[in-house]
Amino acid sequence: EDKVVQSPLSLVVHEGDTVTLNCSYEVTNFRSLLWYKQEKKAPTFLFMLTSSGIEKKSGRLSSILDKKELFSILNITATQTGDSAIYLCAVALSYQLIWGAGTKLIIKP
Amino acid sequence: GAGVSQSPSNKVTEKGKDVELRCDPISGHTALYWYRQSLGQGLEFLIYFQGNSAPDKSGLPSDRFSAERTGGSVSTLTIQRTQQEDSAVYLCASSLEASQPQHFGDGTRLSIL
């Protein structure tokens, strides 16, 4: 059975800290891995990763994929209270996405 | 439109009633998805439409759930004889094509009394 597991389930840190969120997967027909940020409403797209070892970066956020060990990490440096959200990882199999349960990140001022 | 639009944003109804949820995808996006998200849970896939092909209905939880997409654009998700366990946020997403990132609407929060 295809599955995506995220860890930790929740994380509380102070503003300015660096956090690393994990996503591991066991799927057939892997095409890509995607990260989303969900605040109050809709998930918003962050990154799509298809190749191992190539870091994608956007401001203080970065992500990398390891297709040999079947995981990805999402790093957030110099965290701010606005980074508080649920971070969702999903793996694309052709057209369907298999979703992890998410990591709830809380940034304390 | 600029983004995926869903309506209504909130729906409260009595158990046993039928409800219809609407999704207007981003213009030009051929793929459309419906998901359900219960409180504190991840996204549960319901149904996928791609162009004029037959939809993938494998995620629909029961035959009370149905969806259609007219003219390759707007989609409606219908839940008949609603039950309390149907209470959730129903999210719609679209993508340019199946391999591209999905863009989500703000969802419809459905509450069954």
Side-chain angles (χ1 to χ4, degrees), chain A residues 29-83:
Chain A
N29 299 320
F30 173 94
R31 290 191 66 167
S32 61
L33 185 144
L34 300 96
W35 284 97
Y36 285 81
K37 177 182 181 182
Q38 186 174 25
E39 296 175 268
K40 291 182 179 177
K41 292 189 174 178
T44 54
F45 171 72
L46 294 175
F47 299 111
M48 183 168 78
L49 304 158
T50 55
S51 301
S52 272
I54 298 174
E55 185 183 56
K56 294 235 175 168
K57 199 168 171 64
S58 176
R60 296 175 296 101
L61 277 67
S62 64
S63 184
I64 198 161
L65 173 67
D66 185 327
K67 291 169 75 174
K68 181 180 177 185
E69 300 297 329
L70 308 183
F71 77 92
S72 173
I73 59 171
L74 175 69
N75 276 321
I76 309 175
T77 59
T79 51
Q80 303 171 357
T81 53
D83 296 327

